[in-house]
């Protein structure tokens, strides 16, 4: 099993704009990850805080969550980002349209500098270039 030490955090971090998108990603990640023994935890404001913390302690390789929930977990140190190698912003245009670019940049500063970053967009918002070049 590809286990992650929970004190160091996941290897993949996925940010999604809504709780519904988080749940969809979680479902697909479980579906495709189970055969490879890759575990995923979901952190969003719709899930209970205690359940989210318990899931993080099992050392998932992938964590998916809304930007606000992930930021809160980083601030209270229940989520460590020291070994994130892959960072995904799914539907990044929706997050940039809601003026969360500052929060995205703050979260990016908590991640290792040596990582791959993927931003999936359906359109490119005006401020997207600044965020893309700074994360």
């Amino acid at each position: 099993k590809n286990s992650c030490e929970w004190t160091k955090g996941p290897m993949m971090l996925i940010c999604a704009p809504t709780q519904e998108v988080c749940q969809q990603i979680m479902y697909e990640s479980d579906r495709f990850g189970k055969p490879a023994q890759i575990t995923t935890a979901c952190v969003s404001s719709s899930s209970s805080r205690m359940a989210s913390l318990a899931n993080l302690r099992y050392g998932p390789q992938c964590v998916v969550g809304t930007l606000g929930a992930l930021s809160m977990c980083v601030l209270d140190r229940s989520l460590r980002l020291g070994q994130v190698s892959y960072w995904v912003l799914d539907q990044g245009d929706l997050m940039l349209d809601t003026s969360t670019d500052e929060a995205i940049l703050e979260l990016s500063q908590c991640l290792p500098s040596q990582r791959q970053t993927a931003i999936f967009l359906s359109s490119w918002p005006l401020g997207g270039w600044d965020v893309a070049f700074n994360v």
Side-chain angles (χ1 to χ4, degrees):
K1 182 178 177 179
N2 301 328
S3 69
C4 292
E5 187 178 331
W6 76 271
T7 58
K8 293 182 181 176
M11 297 177 86
M12 176 181 271
L13 183 68
I14 303 172
C15 297
T18 66
Q19 297 168 10
E20 293 79 18
V21 175
C22 286
Q23 293 301 319
Q24 292 170 358
I25 294 169
M26 175 76 182
Y27 172 78
E28 294 299 329
S29 183
D30 271 350
R31 190 164 72 103
F32 288 103
K34 278 187 182 175
Q37 297 181 332
I38 296 172
T39 58
T40 302
C42 185
V43 177
S44 70
S45 55
S46 70
S47 56
S48 108
R49 181 88 173 125
M50 295 307 287
S52 293
L53 294 176
N55 289 336
L56 291 174
R57 287 204 173 98
Y58 286 115
Q61 290 85 12
C62 178
V63 172
V64 60
T66 57
L67 188 57
L70 291 170
S71 295
M72 186 172 66
C73 288
V74 169
L75 285 174
D76 71 11
R77 298 180 191 263
S78 58
L79 176 61
R80 311 272 186 195
L81 302 176
Q83 64 183 0
V84 171
S85 300
Y86 305 100
W87 185 32
V88 177
L89 296 169
D90 192 23
Q91 298 184 14
D93 49 335
L94 295 178
M95 288 187 275
L96 293 171
D97 281 345
T98 59
S99 302
T100 58
D101 51 336
E102 183 76 27
I104 292 170
L105 292 173
E106 285 177 14
L107 188 60
S108 74
Q109 293 171 357
C110 298
L111 297 167
S113 58
Q114 295 295 312
R115 67 173 187 277
Q116 292 182 18
T117 302
I119 304 174
F120 293 94
L121 310 160
S122 59
S123 64
W124 195 263
L126 193 55
W129 290 109
D130 291 335
V131 174
F133 287 114
N134 289 308
V135 296

